[in-house]
Amino acid sequence: PAEQKLTLPAPDQHIHGQVASEMYQVCVYFVLTTMTTVGYGDLGPRNVNERLFAMGLLVQCMVVFSTFLGVLNSVLVDMYSESSYARQQLIKLIRYLHWRKVPATLRASIVAHMQHNW
């Protein structure tokens, strides 16, 4: 059998009565709409300009949402690293107080005080 190759139509070529470039736009629009989980809803773009506007808006929303998630992630990592540092310092303090054989009541007071300050 002859080897079959997949060929894409040229942008100005007609497929089923439509221009290929317009069909590519429709495909990209549906891919973006599906990937962003926006959904198709009751209203949708009806022509080329509306589809281009919708695609631009979807891409812009993805960028804004991704940026927001990145900033949120950065804030959470910073909070975790600060609490982790305080926890490490507290563990060092407790070990030191045990090593120096500080009485239990005084040790508890010191630890409580340092937990409040850190």
Side-chain angles (χ1 to χ4, degrees), residues 5-72:
K5 292 183 181 178
L6 177 63
T7 57
L8 297 174
D12 59 346
Q13 186 177 352
H14 288 272
I15 305 169
H16 302 292
Q18 290 186 333
V19 180
S21 62
E22 192 171 322
M23 289 182 72
Y24 289 142
Q25 281 181 352
V26 171
C27 291
V28 171
Y29 167 76
F30 279 106
V31 166
L32 284 173
T33 303
T34 303
M35 286 176 53
T36 57
T37 67
V38 170
Y40 305 102
D42 297 336
L43 301 174
R46 302 262 186 241
N47 59 40
V48 174
N49 291 332
E50 291 175 0
R51 265 193 305 274
L52 289 174
F53 177 77
M55 288 188 296
L57 190 60
L58 288 171
V59 169
Q60 194 173 25
C61 289
M62 284 190 304
V63 168
V64 168
F65 187 68
S66 300
T67 302
F68 170 74
L69 286 180
V71 168
L72 181 62

Side-chain angles (χ1 to χ4, degrees), residues 4-5 65 73 89 96:
Q4 293 181 352
K5 292 183 181 178
F65 187 68
N73 183 36
Q89 293 299 100
Y96 177 77

Side-chain angles (χ1 to χ4, degrees), residues 90 93-94 97 105-118:
L90 190 62
L93 175 65
I94 291 170
L97 293 174
T105 54
L106 179 58
R107 186 172 52 224
S109 296
I110 292 171
V111 168
H113 175 73
M114 294 311 290
Q115 278 180 325
H116 177 72
N117 283 343
W118 282 331

